[in-house]
Amino acid sequence: MGDRNLEDSVTTLAWGGDNLKLIDQRKLPFEEVFVECRTALEAASAIKDMVVRGAPAIGVTAAYGVALAAIEYRGSDKKGLLEHLANSIKLLSGTRPTAVNLFWALKKMDKLIKDSKDLKPGQIRDKIISEAKKIEIEDIKINKMIGQNGLKVFLKLKKEKFSILTHCNAGALATAGYGTALGVIRKLNEENLVKKVLVDETRPYLQGARLTSWELQKEKINFFVITDNMPAYFMSKGEVDAVVVGADRIAANGDTANKIGTLGLSILAKKFGIPFFVAAPVSTIDFDTKTGESIEIEIRSEDEIRKVMGRQIVPDYMDVINPAFDVSKASNITAIITEKGPLYPPYIKSIRKVKDGGRR
Amino acid sequence: MGDRNLEDSVTTLAWGGDNLKLIDQRKLPFEEVFVECRTALEAASAIKDMVVRGAPAIGVTAAYGVALAAIEYRGSDKKGLLEHLANSIKLLSGTRPTAVNLFWALKKMDKLIKDSKDLKPGQIRDKIISEAKKIEIEDIKINKMIGQNGLKVFLKLKKEKFSILTHCNAGALATAGYGTALGVIRKLNEENLVKKVLVDETRPYLQGARLTSWELQKEKINFFVITDNMPAYFMSKGEVDAVVVGADRIAANGDTANKIGTLGLSILAKKFGIPFFVAAPVSTIDFDTKTGESIEIEIRSEDEIRKVMGRQIVPDYMDVINPAFDVSKASNITAIITEKGPLYPPYIKSIRKVKDGGRR
């Protein structure tokens, strides 16, 4: 896999039977190299250090992290295995606090382990591995359904072609494949409905400038990278027909935590009368969190602000601060596009309906 | 001057009798080196290449550029001198289209030259030099008056201390000294009224991360550098009491062209009920431009987006776009703080009053 070339489609992660290969997203688009995780600890570090990022991709990686924990355990006693699995789940859950998919996937694995207590260690391990694979395969399937549903939502806007603004990367790289927000854009492009995509560079980590651009280039979709302070300018010029972003956690009332900058975009879109869409799997909805106010916002390393891909822009002796996410108010979100269809306001009702309809 | 150290106060430009030294703002805060201009062409290049930037500083530099043109002319015939001066003014006016102070200063020089047609070449040259000096000295005086007027405006907000957000650099470096928006912050700090300053990094050129931070550090004012997508987050947390920015051109109705990103900030501030102030000399007001819609927006080099201080972040084969300014609507501006006092809405009236009161 190390010698993949630019012509290949995007591979975010690849399970190798006893290892998980992750494309190193810190080095894209300049180097396409893979990091190989052979232990739960290595998977946890890859999440924490942002080798892999994006809420759904973090969920899938965490599930495989539990699979690696099951494989790496050398003992033959069940008690020891269960203890090691519990510790590994704890380790993986401590990596990043905001994206709910991490906790969703780990909870799923935890339940599976509890339900399998009467099985033999080897059977437990096999069940864990197959569950992780299932989560991965389902994620791609779900994203394609999100794309389909996104197409329906866009067709209602009755425009010939769309100029779409997106923030951060909610693409194949943020998921097991295809993407959520970029999945919608991919689907629109398949139908020849994309005029252009405006890609926010998304400081500090540059997910837009480095990752979304890389994916769009591969798909041959017309795009421009802009800096994070330019969206209002292009909106005011009538150059944005819709905004589509992903989500890291959606509260039961529709408030949505996503990459820092999304809050500002949602307010600007509302001001300019531009539809603002969140594209995310139902697993991103945190039914237990009533509103966005109680969502924990991760504060990341100051170095991410002070350095841009290793180049120092703010001296170390100066103060910086680095909140990684913000929360957009439900009232500024036109629709939340999920695999179960688009959800519309009032979200308290439409989200409750999804919950009552059962979780995948 | 080349061996100035960090303890010195900020020197943006220094006239040397037959040369103009400009601190190289492209290299701050990591290197404090000066570029020496000995010809009008060198001054024009320094403006175009952003060795010097900031609307008032560009105006002063352009005035000295005309002085250099007068000095560099080796002939003794008046006709040749006047022709060379006219050509140099044309050259200087072609450097950057948005900041009106450039045209204001050049117009002032042009008028002076026309009024001096009966004098001898040597006398014309001396008058030009002394006019450029006067523009420089007056700029600092005006900025201090803006600071004073800003203090009065802030005192009306009746808060003990202020957390202030600023964008780009409207400081000593953007002027002949002291600054406009940063002049207000300097004055507030002299009165011990500053809690903290939130400094937008201001991609692509990083005027906030590199220049405003550098000035605030020298003044020992408490500050944090944030990325351009974070203001809404801090506003939503109640961490911003006011926004203060400079201006590159103010239309007769109060619409204000300023560094890209200002438009978004003005909308967000309004949404969160936060006062949004523009601090600028009266020379920034373009009485001949009715509204912001007819202000020309400079589109700068794509390389500024693709590279951050030389570090490539977007490959050359990808599309980017780089508008350098945007226009904030007068309706989102709480007050325009000038040396003649704060102007309040309706700006059509308050600006007309300044015009009728005579221009400095």
Side-chain angles (χ1 to χ4, degrees), chain B residues 220-233:
Chain B
K220 296 181 175 53
I221 297 174
N222 186 29
F223 72 93
F224 291 88
V225 175
I226 60 174
T227 57
D228 294 313
N229 46 27
M230 291 182 186
Y233 172 85

Side-chain angles (χ1 to χ4, degrees), chain A residues 148-186:
Chain A
Q148 280 284 359
N149 291 329
L151 173 62
K152 284 182 208 159
V153 168
F154 270 80
L155 287 176
K156 281 191 190 168
L157 298 177
K158 299 193 187 302
K159 275 204 109 140
E160 218 171 290
K161 288 205 173 210
F162 295 93
S163 292
I164 304 168
L165 186 141
T166 190
H167 188 65
C168 196
N169 171 273
L173 289 168
T175 60
Y178 202 72
T180 53
L182 276 198
V184 172
I185 291 170
R186 276 195 168 84

Side-chain angles (χ1 to χ4, degrees), chain A residues 23-206:
Chain A
I23 195 162
D24 191 341
Q25 301 195 25
R26 300 168 304 184
K27 295 183 176 164
L28 289 172
F30 302 101
E31 289 176 60
E32 295 186 32
V33 293
F34 285 78
V35 168
E36 190 178 300
C37 304
R38 294 196 158 263
T39 65
L41 178 61
E42 285 173 358
S45 299
I47 294 171
K48 201 171 180 65
D49 299 344
M50 290 176 76
V51 170
V52 63
R53 30 62 53 199
I58 288 173
V60 176
T61 303
Y64 277 123
V66 179
L68 291 173
I71 292 166
E72 78 191 329
Y73 186 71
R74 295 294 172 207
S76 58
D77 59 315
K78 187 150 76 180
K79 189 169 167 269
L81 171 65
L82 293 176
E83 215 172 271
H84 180 65
L85 289 171
N87 286 338
S88 298
I89 286 175
K90 204 172 158 189
L91 173 78
L92 287 158
S93 73
T95 49
R96 299 198 65 193
T98 305
V100 78
N101 315 56
L102 172 69
F103 306 104
W104 171 86
L106 291 174
K107 223 162 143 183
K108 223 171 156 78
M109 298 310 260
D110 188 53
K111 185 171 182 304
L112 178 106
I113 292 162
K114 285 195 173 112
D115 290 348
S116 313
K117 269 190 174 155
D118 295 335
L119 302 179
K120 289 178 190 165
Q123 292 173 308
I124 295 175
R125 194 193 57 210
D126 291 349
K127 278 197 87 169
I128 288 173
I129 294 170
S130 93
E131 180 71 11
K133 282 184 190 167
K134 204 176 126 199
I135 290 176
E136 179 191 353
I137 291 163
E138 271 199 3
D139 187 59
I140 298 175
K141 212 173 103 193
I142 284 167
N143 291 339
K144 293 198 168 167
M145 287 161 75
I146 290 172
Q148 280 284 359
N149 291 329
L151 173 62
K152 284 182 208 159
V153 168
F154 270 80
L155 287 176
K156 281 191 190 168
L157 298 177
K158 299 193 187 302
K159 275 204 109 140
E160 218 171 290
K161 288 205 173 210
F162 295 93
S163 292
I164 304 168
L165 186 141
T166 190
H167 188 65
C168 196
N169 171 273
L173 289 168
T175 60
Y178 202 72
T180 53
L182 276 198
V184 172
I185 291 170
R186 276 195 168 84
K187 185 67 197 170
L188 290 169
N189 185 56
E190 287 167 24
E191 306 291 324
N192 198 25
L193 290 169
V194 177
K195 189 173 167 193
K196 65 174 180 289
V197 181
L198 288 169
V199 179
D200 283 353
E201 68 175 8
T202 319
R203 277 278 290 146
Y205 192 73
L206 301 169

Side-chain angles (χ1 to χ4, degrees), chain A residues 201 203 225 309 311 319, chain B residues 201 203 225 309 311 319:
Chain A
E201 68 175 8
R203 277 278 290 146
V225 175
M309 295 189 76
R311 180 69 169 97
D319 288 327
Chain B
E201 67 175 10
R203 278 279 288 145
V225 175
M309 296 188 75
R311 179 69 168 96
D319 287 327

Side-chain angles (χ1 to χ4, degrees), chain A residues 177-283:
Chain A
Y178 202 72
T180 53
L182 276 198
V184 172
I185 291 170
R186 276 195 168 84
K187 185 67 197 170
L188 290 169
N189 185 56
E190 287 167 24
E191 306 291 324
N192 198 25
L193 290 169
V194 177
K195 189 173 167 193
K196 65 174 180 289
V197 181
L198 288 169
V199 179
D200 283 353
E201 68 175 8
T202 319
R203 277 278 290 146
Y205 192 73
L206 301 169
Q207 288 94 334
R210 301 190 298 104
L211 308 180
T212 297
S213 63
W214 184 72
E215 288 196 35
L216 293 173
Q217 188 80 30
K218 279 181 187 285
E219 297 280 347
K220 297 183 173 52
I221 297 174
N222 186 28
F223 72 93
F224 291 88
V225 175
I226 60 173
T227 57
D228 295 313
N229 46 27
M230 291 179 187
Y233 172 85
F234 288 103
M235 286 178 180
S236 76
K237 299 275 177 200
E239 296 267 2
V240 181
D241 298 315
V243 179
V244 192
V245 298
D248 287 81
R249 186 184 298 220
I250 300 171
N253 72 340
D255 288 352
T256 295
N258 190 44
K259 180 53 52 197
I260 189 82
T262 307
L263 168 61
L265 288 176
S266 67
I267 293 168
L268 294 173
K270 176 94 160 207
K271 161 84 184 169
F272 288 104
I274 296 165
F276 182 90
F277 300 119
V278 171
V282 169
S283 59

